[in-house]
Amino acid sequence: MLFSAGGVVSAMLLPVLVLLFGVAFPLGLLDPPDYAQLSALLANPLTGLVMFSLCALSLFHWAHRFRHTLYDGLQIKHLNEVIAIVSYGAAVAGSTLAAYLLWQLS
Amino acid sequence: MDQNHAYTAYHPRWLRPHVSTYWWLEKPAYLAFILREGSCMFVAWFTVYLLLLLRAIQQGQAAYEAFLAWSAGPVIVLVNIVSFAFLIFHAITFFQAAPQAMVVHVGHRRLPARVLLAAHYAAWAAASIVVFWLLTGA
């Protein structure tokens, strides 16, 4: 459930975000939003909720896929528990950080 | 499995065909599978990137400007261009799988796969336009 929700949310929102913040703004093709504008946008509870869901669900999507690819693809079966703990642990840590940062910005 | 297991003369060996660690290089379909699964690494990378951006914004204007300067480094831009390609691939493959995972009924009839697919693409376009508009005001 977290996997597919994460897959859908990341598919819908990440391409445009990486295009803007990863390519268009750094290369100067478009002007990045100024600080006041961006922090006002993130202070909006709806944007905050969307950003939190995006970060948390994307991380759980990654954790699930990463774990299963190591298991099936590279056949690292003896480390299964360790990999599961590390990947889901990272997802929980990242989600907590996202919640904290967005809380501070709200 | 224990590699040093001593087999007795009449004990049958386990039928366990050896699969190479590089099995996914053998057929294009296998490679597509591993690239699709590999796209999750770029999902993770860009989520971390977003978290760094959020942290910079939380720390203040100077940190935000430092983030923008850092993000313009050639290596970061290159990684993000590759990420963009993988995220598009991720989106397309994920939407393709959606009609198989989602069964939607209207009345007594099942909604055809192409309608669901079209709905996903329409939502994708709408979400992208809204984000683009919010961030560039254009």
Side-chain angles (χ1 to χ4, degrees):
Chain A
M1 209 33 232
L2 281 176
F3 167 73
S4 47
V8 171
V9 174
S10 58
M12 298 265 176
L13 294 175
L14 289 185
V16 63
L17 285 172
V18 75
L19 188 63
L20 288 174
F21 277 107
V23 182
F25 298 153
L27 291 181
L29 305 174
L30 291 166
D31 289 330
D34 58 75
Y35 181 74
Q37 224 178 330
L38 205 53
S39 46
L41 185 63
L42 286 167
N44 182 311
L46 185 64
T47 327
L49 192 65
V50 170
M51 281 305 291
F52 172 71
S53 314
L54 177 64
C55 292
L57 293 173
S58 297
L59 286 171
F60 277 98
H61 169 84
W62 162 78
H64 181 87
R65 224 172 209 186
F66 180 65
R67 182 167 89 81
H68 283 276
T69 307
L70 288 187
Y71 186 88
D72 299 326
L74 299 178
Q75 303 171 40
I76 308 172
K77 297 190 179 115
H78 55 289
L79 289 176
N80 202 20
E81 281 87 12
V82 183
I83 290 167
I85 291 167
V86 169
S87 36
Y88 291 119
V92 170
S95 309
T96 313
L97 180 63
Y100 169 76
L101 290 172
L102 289 163
W103 180 256
Q104 294 278 307
L105 283 162
S106 70
Chain B
M1 285 309 284
D2 187 1
Q3 297 294 315
N4 304 317
H5 190 84
Y7 290 96
T8 58
Y10 300 103
H11 190 288
R13 282 178 176 267
W14 305 112
L15 181 62
R16 200 179 274 247
H18 177 71
V19 178
S20 159
T21 306
Y22 304 102
W23 60 269
W24 42 276
L25 287 175
E26 285 166 17
K27 279 189 191 174
Y30 295 168
L31 186 64
F33 164 80
I34 219 76
L35 287 178
R36 191 193 77 206
E37 299 300 301
S39 73
C40 79
M41 295 315 290
F42 294 93
V43 170
W45 149 254
F46 196 68
T47 311
V48 170
Y49 187 87
L50 280 181
L51 287 173
L52 291 173
L53 172 64
L54 287 179
R55 192 187 64 161
I57 298 167
Q58 189 256 328
Q59 284 172 345
Q61 181 147 16
Y64 174 58
E65 271 150 24
F67 177 87
L68 289 180
W70 171 76
S71 73
V75 177
I76 305 288
V77 172
L78 194 67
V79 170
N80 279 329
I81 290 172
V82 176
S83 299
F84 178 66
F86 267 94
L87 285 167
I88 294 285
F89 186 61
H90 161 68
I92 292 170
T93 53
F94 217 84
F95 293 152
Q96 256 170 7
Q100 280 146 42
M102 252 166 92
V103 178
V104 181
H105 289 276
V106 177
H108 290 291
R109 292 178 56 192
R110 183 177 168 177
L111 214 59
R114 60 193 157 74
V115 176
L116 263 177
L117 203 59
H120 275 85
Y121 277 101
W124 186 19
S128 302
I129 290 167
V130 169
V131 171
F132 192 90
W133 175 75
L134 280 174
L135 289 172
T136 62

